[in-house]
Each structure stands twice: as structure tokens, then as C-alpha cells.
Amino acid sequence: MFGLTSNKGAAGTGSIVINQPVDKVFNFIAVDFFENYPRWSPEVQELELLSKPPLQLNSLVRQVRIDNMQRSESTFKITTYKVCEKLVFEGVSNAYRCTYDFVTANPTNTQITFTFELLKLELFMLPFEKLIHVAVQEGAKRTVRNLKNLIESS
């Protein structure tokens, strides 16, 4: 509205065990990111690497999403890229963070934990803060379920 924000944010976390080894899970999410991200997050309509390939630490990516019939465009930066451990990207044009944590549950299973954080809420969003928290939490859970289904079926 007027670009006014609060210090309040919203976060959601989902965690699930995927019946595949950690290297396969990491490769699906990080190495093959541009092929697979729109598959586990179907709201993504466009995705473009703005930096030199491949996706790596400090890479910049532009995305266009349609969430609840609202089009949004943002640029994010890879701020953590630890093979088979962690992938983090943070919004450059918008205040958000996505974290994927990978933990070997045993040689053939991987626990993936996904956290999505809206780092700041616009002031006009504050009356809907509880609904936003619920939506963010449900989105995080849906993300890990989508990842499990896609990775285990591939």
C-alpha cells in the first residue's frame, strides 16, 4: 500500500522423512532446482537465473508466482549452499527467507525440514496476522509433502 512495514513477521516449518538418500534429495532440490522448483511449488510461473550457472552461493534468481490469483515478482539470493546439508535463499526485493535442511536419517532416508519466513509484514496485513501465520504454516507443510511425493516417485 504505502510501503510501510512492521517488525512483525510470520514463519512456518514443515518436516518429513523422504525414502531416498540425502544426495538424491539434495540434488533434486538444489542441483536440479530450475527443473524441479516449479514442480513442488506450482505457484511458480517463471524462473530465471540472473547469475552465472550453476546455482551456487550468491546466485541471484528471479521468480514470478501466482498465489491466490495475485501475481508477484521477486528476486532472491542463495545465501547458504552446503551440499547435502542446507540450502537457504533470501529475498532481495522482498523480505523473506526459505531454508531447506537435510539430515541423513539412515543410509536410505533423509529428513527434510523446510522453513519459510516472511521477515516483515506490511502494516495493512497486521489485521490478518493470524490468517497469514496459518497460511504460511500450511504452505510449509504442503511443500515438504510435495517434495516427498515427487522425489519418491522419480
Side-chain angles (χ1 to χ4, degrees):
M1 188 167 177
F2 298 106
L4 301 174
T5 60
S6 75
N7 289 328
K8 292 186 175 194
T13 299
S15 188
I16 203 162
V17 173
I18 298 174
N19 298 319
Q20 291 292 334
V22 70
D23 60 330
K24 184 171 181 181
V25 175
F26 184 84
N27 287 344
F28 185 92
I29 294 171
V31 175
D32 298 328
F33 181 79
F34 289 94
E35 177 184 339
N36 293 323
Y37 182 43
R39 294 174 64 202
W40 81 74
S41 187
E43 302 83 9
V44 175
Q45 301 297 303
E46 295 177 34
L47 199 56
E48 176 185 11
L49 180 61
L50 301 175
S51 304
K52 182 180 173 183
L55 187 72
Q56 59 192 317
L57 186 63
N58 296 319
S59 289
L60 287 172
V61 179
R62 183 186 73 85
Q63 70 175 340
V64 175
R65 299 175 58 93
I66 307 280
D67 293 287
N68 298 317
M69 299 187 317
Q70 296 295 315
R71 182 186 187 278
S72 64
E73 182 174 334
S74 70
T75 300
F76 59 86
K77 180 179 184 176
I78 305 302
T79 57
T80 303
Y81 191 102
K82 294 182 180 176
V83 176
C84 295
E85 291 180 31
K86 188 179 213 85
L87 175 68
V88 179
F89 53 85
E90 296 189 33
V92 173
S93 58
N94 303 79
Y96 64 88
R97 179 182 308 121
C98 295
T99 303
Y100 299 83
D101 286 300
F102 305 83
V103 175
T104 300
N106 65 48
T108 59
N109 292 319
T110 303
Q111 180 174 340
I112 180 82
T113 302
F114 170 71
T115 303
F116 176 76
E117 300 168 89
L118 283 172
L119 302 175
K120 294 180 181 179
L121 296 179
E122 305 252 351
L123 289 179
F124 75 89
M125 297 173 151
L126 292 180
F128 310 103
E129 185 177 359
K130 287 183 181 179
L131 290 173
I132 291 168
H133 281 278
V134 168
V136 168
Q137 181 62 41
E138 286 304 312
K141 289 179 180 179
R142 184 175 53 253
T143 295
V144 295
R145 284 192 309 267
N146 288 350
L147 284 165
K148 179 179 177 71
N149 291 336
L150 287 166
I151 294 169
E152 288 182 354
S153 68
S154 63

